[in-house]
Amino acid sequence: PASPSASSSGSSSEAEEEEESLPSTEQGEVLGAGAEIPRGAEVARDDASEHTEAAAGSSTTASSSGRGRGRRRRKGGDGGGLKVNTVACTGKSAKDLYTAVAEHLGWREVDTEARPSTATGSSRPSASKTIYCVMQTADLLERLPLPASSWITRYSGSPELCDKGNWARMVMLCQDLAAEGTFSFSPRTWILPDQVDELREKMAKSSKTYIVKPLDGSQGDGIFLVQGSRDLDVKMSCKSNGAAVVQRYLEKPLLHRGLKFDFRIYVAVIGGSVDAPPHVFLCKEGLARFCTEAYEEPTQKNMHKCMGHLTNYSLNKRSDHFEHCPESFDEVFSISSTASKRPLTTALRQIAEEHADFDIEGFYVSVADLVRTTLALMAPVMRFAGRSLHSGGEFRSCQVYGFDVMLDHRRAPYLLEVNNSPSLCIDEALALEAEELAAALASKPARGRAKTTGGDVVCRCMDMSQPHRHRTSLVDLAVKKTVMVGMY
């Protein structure tokens, strides 16, 4: 498969002459500790140039509609008959990204088709080579059995593997079997209510801070910090569901200009079989998400300041201090960027500039070790879950996982969570100024939606509490497109 790392070395002419083919489980290699990893500065600059050309043609400004991406076709016409089926990508989903990737590779997108036959329960498989882009397990099952020449972007069993409670139990069990320090990247964890007594006993002997995450929560919903068992009991009493995962809070994270941050690391998993684990690829480009308030070590007086303690984009984007993505690729990848969401390679260069002892190559090696150990736990379950779904024993699945990683003050990486469905959206919401909103409402037609003077629709979706407009987020487009093109 194409390398999922940022395209920093191969020439475009060589890429155009490559024979177009679907990924084969006999190709590729797992990124190991000895793999050559380019320096962040080289990756960032070359990636900026490539995505500027591919994403917007001759323009380097953000498109308000999210559709202003130029087509880049490789030699070979229709890409050897490959299709990207996005029928299952509905609503606020990854469809815009998949469309951009298909255009970049010169592959044909299929976004409409006949409904599955009620007589057979499944649609007639396509005779041509197709990658089916699905978002849910139900969509995966509807597509099975796959034609021999097709692939699907989901592994059976992934949601259960990435469940916070299940993952914590797996680590706890395997810690007793592995060498000491194997899971040093995983913060100490307790599962409630099963281990509440053990947690209270630990809290009674310590003044440390703990972070509580509801098992059914996502995007930062319901997360809070506690210090002491009484604090835990009071805050948990307000929850209708007492099921949660509690972790030791990293009180001394590595900071950049006084702000706490974490990384969304993208890992592509491809193929595998009943006899062999899947191939794993670590993408060297990712996202850095920054808090919007200066970090202070947690106390009873500041633990409620979630935008200084929690790095979740879904929380911080609502802050008045949130800095949106720049409107040109040069600015997105600039080392002087202060955006609240930045490319991983840019953030690593900034951290290395601020902390002289930070080693970018060493960072990638430590993350590769973390990913290798994590997938070693997941692979047996993936093989077991997939053996009854794929004919012939070979798995024609591929999937991108989101690893949320945070560094402590000693530069050691900690795995906070593995996301089964990392966001592949490439737009962002921007609040409308009062004057801009008033002008849009004044000119609203009798039928239809109000639009700004720039032609953007006035939106009231859940992305933002006040009226807003949407535009393409260039940092999401550049990073996520690199990931998906690499996996394809």
Side-chain angles (χ1 to χ4, degrees):
S3 171
S5 64
S7 305
S8 61
S9 57
S11 66
S12 58
S13 60
E14 291 174 348
E16 291 174 350
E17 293 174 358
E18 291 176 355
E19 180 180 358
E20 204 70 54
S21 64
L22 284 171
S24 165
T25 55
E26 298 178 0
Q27 297 174 319
E29 60 181 2
V30 177
L31 175 62
E36 181 180 357
I37 299 171
R39 296 187 181 276
E42 299 170 350
V43 174
R45 286 307 311 154
D46 289 350
D47 233 28
S49 301
E50 177 182 349
H51 286 295
T52 298
E53 175 186 357
S58 60
S59 172
T60 59
T61 58
S63 164
S64 298
S65 65
R67 300 287 182 177
R69 291 177 288 275
R71 178 182 296 263
R72 174 183 169 183
R73 285 190 175 274
R74 295 186 181 185
K75 292 181 181 179
D78 63 354
L82 280 88
K83 297 178 182 177
V84 178
N85 186 300
T86 59
V87 172
C89 301
T90 58
K92 183 182 177 183
S93 68
K95 186 182 184 308
D96 281 349
L97 176 62
Y98 286 127
T99 299
V101 171
E103 291 178 346
H104 178 87
L105 294 172
W107 296 356
R108 186 158 69 90
E109 179 186 7
V110 176
D111 57 7
T112 58
E113 66 181 4
R115 295 294 300 168
S117 168
T118 56
T120 63
S122 62
S123 58
R124 178 174 297 178
S126 171
S128 61
K129 295 181 288 187
T130 302
I131 296 180
Y132 292 100
C133 304
V134 299
M135 311 304 293
Q136 305 292 336
T137 300
D139 300 323
L140 162 67
L141 297 176
E142 186 177 290
R143 289 292 178 185
L144 296 176
L146 285 174
S149 56
S150 296
W151 288 65
I152 196 161
T153 62
R154 184 71 46 171
Y155 278 90
S156 178
S158 288
E160 292 76 19
L161 280 169
C162 297
D163 175 82
K164 296 183 182 71
N166 289 343
W167 172 250
R169 292 183 180 94
M170 288 172 61
V171 172
M172 290 177 192
L173 289 171
C174 290
Q175 279 177 326
D176 296 333
L177 305 175
E180 184 177 355
T182 301
F183 294 94
S184 59
F185 60 82
S186 181
R188 177 72 187 278
T189 305
W190 295 263
I191 303 171
L192 303 186
D194 297 355
Q195 297 177 303
V196 66
D197 291 336
E198 180 182 340
L199 176 60
R200 286 197 185 104
E201 182 179 350
K202 181 69 175 180
M203 286 180 164
K205 302 175 182 178
S206 170
S207 59
K208 299 295 184 180
T209 304
Y210 300 81
I211 184 168
V212 183
K213 305 176 182 180
L215 286 182
D216 56 355
S218 63
Q219 298 183 333
D221 291 343
I223 297 178
F224 57 88
L225 306 183
V226 296
Q227 290 180 335
S229 57
R230 183 177 181 279
D231 193 15
L232 173 68
D233 293 340
V234 169
K235 293 179 179 178
M236 287 299 295
S237 67
C238 302
K239 304 293 181 181
S240 58
N241 185 350
V245 166
V246 182
Q247 291 180 325
R248 270 286 307 273
Y249 183 71
L250 298 181
E251 297 181 354
K252 295 183 181 294
L254 183 65
L255 304 179
H256 176 57
R257 297 179 180 175
L259 295 176
K260 185 178 178 181
F261 61 89
D262 76 348
F263 298 131
R264 168 61 58 84
I265 307 292
Y266 294 99
V267 175
V269 180
I270 301 173
S273 70
V274 294
D275 300 316
H279 296 273
V280 179
F281 296 83
L282 171 65
C283 185
K284 296 162 194 168
E285 187 57 285
L287 290 171
R289 291 94 55 95
F290 287 80
C291 286
T292 49
E293 295 181 10
Y295 179 74
E296 298 176 353
E297 288 194 29
T299 66
Q300 289 292 337
K301 293 183 178 180
N302 68 30
M303 285 195 302
H304 67 283
K305 296 182 178 180
C306 62
M307 294 179 187
H309 289 290
L310 304 182
T311 56
N312 303 72
Y313 165 72
S314 56
L315 294 176
N316 283 280
K317 71 179 182 180
R318 304 178 189 278
S319 169
D320 293 337
H321 302 293
F322 184 85
E323 292 193 37
H324 287 277
C325 169
E327 297 188 38
S328 75
F329 284 104
D330 286 340
E331 293 175 292
V332 167
F333 286 93
S334 171
I335 197 170
S336 61
S337 173
T338 57
S340 296
K341 186 194 290 186
R342 306 170 205 171
L344 170 64
T345 50
T346 297
L348 292 178
R349 293 161 57 207
Q350 293 175 327
I351 295 167
E353 186 178 72
E354 180 178 2
H355 303 280
D357 60 342
F358 182 75
D359 179 12
I360 294 178
E361 293 187 12
F363 165 81
Y364 280 117
V365 170
S366 61
V367 170
D369 289 341
L370 176 158
V371 170
R372 183 186 300 106
T373 302
T374 300
L375 265 297
L377 264 65
M378 297 172 63
V381 178
M382 296 166 71
R383 290 165 62 185
F384 179 83
R387 65 182 183 180
S388 62
L389 301 179
H390 295 271
S391 60
E394 182 179 348
F395 299 165
R396 293 186 303 280
S397 291
C398 57
Q399 185 168 344
V400 169
Y401 295 88
F403 281 57
D404 291 345
V405 173
M406 183 174 291
L407 302 177
D408 69 5
H409 66 292
R410 296 186 298 265
R411 289 52 166 166
Y414 284 85
L415 178 62
L416 306 182
E417 188 174 349
V418 180
N419 293 271
N420 171 59
S421 297
S423 172
L424 297 180
C425 292
I426 55 174
D427 76 346
E428 62 178 346
L430 288 83
L432 294 175
E433 299 292 340
E435 298 81 2
E436 191 177 12
L437 177 61
L441 295 177
S443 60
K444 181 181 181 298
R447 294 185 179 181
R449 303 174 68 179
K451 294 185 177 180
T452 66
T453 54
D456 300 319
V457 172
V458 176
C459 186
R460 291 182 171 84
C461 72
M462 295 297 292
D463 272 7
M464 192 169 286
S465 58
Q466 66 263 50
H468 56 274
R469 64 183 178 90
H470 289 267
R471 74 171 185 187
T472 299
S473 168
L474 293 187
V475 64
D476 287 297
L477 173 60
V479 169
K480 296 172 184 178
K481 187 175 173 183
T482 296
V483 175
M484 298 307 298
V485 168
M487 183 177 76
Y488 280 8

